[in-house]
Amino acid sequence: MPRVVAAIFALTLAGVALAEPQRRVFTEDTTAFCNPGQGWSTMGCNAEQYAGVVNIGQVYHRPTWRDFEPQEGVYNWTKLDKLLAYAAQRGIPAAFRIMCVCSGSSVPSSPDWVWAKGAKFEEWENLGYDGNVHTNRAPIFDDPIFLAAHRRFIQALAAHYDGDPRLAGIDLGSYGNWGEWHCGSLPPVTPRFLPRDAQGRIRKDALKRKGVKPHVYPIAVRRQYVDMYLDNFRKTPLIFMTDDHECLKYALGEGATPRVGLRRDGVGSPWHFGRWIGTKPYDAIPRMADVWRSQPIWLEFYGDLATTVRDRFKTLPFSVEWLLTNHVSVVNTCPANPHRIKDDVANFALLKKIDLYAGARLVPQSVEVTRSNGVYEVVLRGENRGVAPIHLPFAVQFALVDAKDKDIVRAAGQTDPSTWLPGPFVLRETVTFPSSVEGRLVLRLVHRHGVFRNFRFAAQETLPDGALPLE
């Protein structure tokens, strides 16, 4: 008996069933759909108004310190808890930034008790977002009383939220106007009392005093605000506003993996385009260009479409391509006004590129499955046609499903899908199920904490729950 035939005969006697690999080819789904942590990030709990306009993959909010600590050491987390619950109900993550001063607010953003405690501040009249004039207060950010009190607040914030599985990350804020790491539009740039015209209206040309520069606090002071977050948030990703290039370099750190992701607003504004990777002074931060590989990039338009497309700004096509070239995961919804979609069809068609390609877009191409007595050898080939990897904690899960696509049994995979950078990817797995169980093999990408909905593959064969049938 020839050796090959003898070997086959011996294996057959031993009860080991031999199987030829089954190969399946997938058809790409070219439509826009939503995955958690990809595409668009809405400001607040209003995702419903964007239904049918753009796909919301994250909700975001900028609350104030005042919102959470009405009395020293007494905390009320209601506003953030509602945000996180709202996002989780929709199977997507939440994110937020803390503000200590907001030049458009009708009330100070830091709590009254910190001033009563002796923290120094500058007071001025500001034109609020509501169109009225209000008296506002800007903290003196190097005041020791203010620093110590805010440090205790960030410690309490981290004790409550660090590692919360509903969070995509925290926009590292606190310092500067809007928590954006600059003191523009704050005193002394803004006069104490705003000059008015004959009708008593604030003169627009008087909002800033020529030749007067905003505060620039020493790097040692600004680093203290960075450290408040780095020292206390050890589990939840931190995202750093890039306006302060010195603190950005410090926040990134010198380790193998950057300690923070990147956030940039003002997309569409020529000035903002000139303050980014490869331009001065950011050319002194060489690792900035590779942050996207391991940390998320959150970007924000300068304003709505009317602002973004006017002549003195870069064109919308340029802005959208710039977002994608810079490996963005989520973009704020500023230009995606749901009430204007019927009047601006061409521009909304451009914005659809963000739905399609921001973050990861996983296109499976083919799979080979070899089954033998409950042991499945799987080789899946595909391409990430998005501009970034998955930055949320997703895991590979296999399951055998019945004729109605209901799970019979599941098994965890070993592949980390966050390693699938833009370009081709290959998944090779050996999965074992009880040999007595019969069913069709499917693959899912599931949130490790079970909060977010499954990450969907861009294939027409994908099941309603996001599962990819492999057989």
Side-chain angles (χ1 to χ4, degrees):
M1 182 182 297
R3 290 185 179 181
V4 174
V5 176
I8 294 173
F9 181 72
L11 287 171
T12 303
L13 289 177
V16 178
L18 295 180
E20 290 292 325
Q22 296 182 22
R23 188 172 188 270
R24 181 169 190 171
V25 176
F26 299 103
T27 305
E28 180 179 357
D29 182 349
T30 59
T31 63
F33 52 84
C34 184
N35 269 321
Q38 323 284 299
W40 295 89
S41 178
T42 184
M43 183 69 77
C45 301
N46 59 350
E48 288 74 19
Q49 69 174 313
Y50 295 97
V53 181
V54 294
N55 292 314
I56 303 300
Q58 177 174 294
V59 298
Y60 176 81
H61 189 43
R62 293 176 190 156
T64 67
W65 179 12
R66 185 188 189 92
D67 291 328
F68 303 118
E69 195 175 2
Q71 302 175 47
E72 185 175 8
V74 178
Y75 304 103
N76 181 354
W77 306 114
T78 301
K79 182 170 285 191
L80 272 183
D81 288 340
K82 286 182 177 179
L83 180 80
L84 269 63
Y86 174 88
Q89 288 168 4
R90 286 150 184 81
I92 57 177
F96 65 89
R97 179 204 298 165
I98 298 295
M99 299 187 296
C100 292
V101 59
C102 172
S103 61
S105 177
S106 59
V107 295
S109 299
S110 295
D112 293 337
W113 61 261
V114 77
W115 319 123
K117 196 177 176 69
K120 295 183 176 63
F121 59 88
E122 291 189 83
E123 195 168 76
W124 87 104
E125 282 189 317
N126 69 294
L127 187 63
Y129 295 131
D130 60 4
N132 299 315
V133 177
H134 304 279
T135 299
N136 207 335
R137 288 181 175 182
I140 302 300
F141 281 101
D142 60 358
D143 179 83
I145 295 174
F146 188 88
L147 271 165
H150 195 66
R151 185 178 294 108
R152 287 192 295 271
F153 167 71
I154 296 300
Q155 289 169 348
L157 182 73
H160 196 78
Y161 289 107
D162 188 29
D164 192 310
R166 298 170 294 178
L167 280 169
I170 294 174
D171 192 356
L172 197 163
S174 297
Y175 175 82
N177 196 11
W178 306 297
E180 288 189 352
W181 292 85
H182 64 81
C183 293
S185 301
L186 299 180
V189 173
T190 304
R192 167 65 178 83
F193 296 104
L194 299 177
R196 303 172 187 250
D197 60 20
Q199 286 73 41
R201 295 172 300 192
I202 292 174
R203 292 209 327 254
K204 298 293 185 182
D205 62 347
L207 288 175
K208 293 186 179 181
R209 291 184 289 182
K210 293 181 179 179
V212 180
K213 294 182 179 181
H215 286 303
V216 178
Y217 291 87
I219 182 66
V221 172
R222 284 140 49 208
R223 282 185 177 185
Q224 290 185 58
Y225 287 92
V226 177
D227 287 337
M228 290 180 196
Y229 287 84
L230 292 177
D231 291 345
N232 291 289
F233 285 95
R234 302 298 183 90
K235 302 173 184 176
T236 298
L238 295 171
I239 316 300
F240 192 80
M241 193 77 181
T242 59
D243 281 317
D244 186 335
H245 69 279
E246 292 177 310
C247 275
L248 171 61
K249 186 174 183 179
Y250 173 72
L252 288 172
E254 300 297 333
T257 302
R259 298 187 294 184
V260 297
L262 304 181
R263 179 179 175 85
R264 167 81 276 179
D265 66 7
V267 174
S269 158
W271 186 87
H272 288 85
F273 282 130
R275 292 181 57 81
W276 188 244
I277 296 168
T279 65
K280 291 185 179 299
Y282 297 94
D283 55 357
I285 313 175
R287 69 182 311 179
M288 186 178 175
D290 291 324
V291 170
W292 67 273
R293 295 175 177 271
S294 58
Q295 300 284 356
I297 308 296
W298 297 350
L299 299 174
E300 178 177 337
F301 275 95
Y302 183 89
D304 61 15
L305 271 179
T307 302
T308 304
V309 302
R310 65 191 179 191
D311 290 342
R312 70 184 183 89
F313 284 86
K314 291 286 188 179
T315 64
L316 187 62
F318 179 92
S319 298
V320 170
E321 290 305 319
W322 187 90
L323 289 164
L324 299 176
T325 300
N326 283 284
H327 306 284
V328 66
S329 287
V330 291
V331 182
N332 79 311
T333 51
C334 282
N337 187 325
H339 306 296
R340 291 195 56 192
I341 184 170
K342 293 181 180 179
D343 303 323
D344 214 336
V345 175
N347 283 325
F348 271 90
L350 286 171
L351 294 180
K352 277 295 180 184
K353 283 191 172 183
I354 294 170
D355 290 80
L356 288 166
Y357 303 117
R361 185 176 181 86
L362 304 179
V363 181
Q365 295 166 334
S366 66
V367 65
E368 290 186 354
V369 178
T370 304
R371 181 196 301 205
S372 178
N373 287 347
V375 178
Y376 294 75
E377 299 286 345
V378 178
V379 180
L380 174 70
R381 301 179 190 277
E383 182 179 357
N384 179 359
R385 293 186 181 163
V387 298
I390 299 174
H391 288 299
L392 296 174
F394 276 86
V396 168
Q397 180 190 85
F398 294 92
L400 294 180
V401 299
D402 61 20
K404 295 182 178 180
D405 295 328
K406 301 295 184 181
D407 286 6
I408 304 170
V409 62
R410 300 172 182 168
Q414 302 301 313
T415 302
D416 180 1
S418 70
T419 61
W420 295 342
L421 299 180
F425 66 84
V426 179
L427 175 148
R428 299 179 187 274
E429 292 265 11
T430 300
V431 192
T432 303
F433 292 107
S435 57
S436 58
V437 178
E438 288 293 329
R440 183 170 62 142
L441 184 66
V442 300
L443 166 67
R444 296 190 186 95
L445 297 182
V446 298
H447 184 223
R448 292 182 185 274
H449 305 290
V451 177
F452 309 146
R453 57 174 173 260
N454 296 340
F455 200 96
R456 178 180 166 184
F457 288 92
Q460 293 182 17
E461 295 80 6
T462 302
L463 302 179
D465 71 345
L468 183 69
L470 304 181
E471 294 182 306

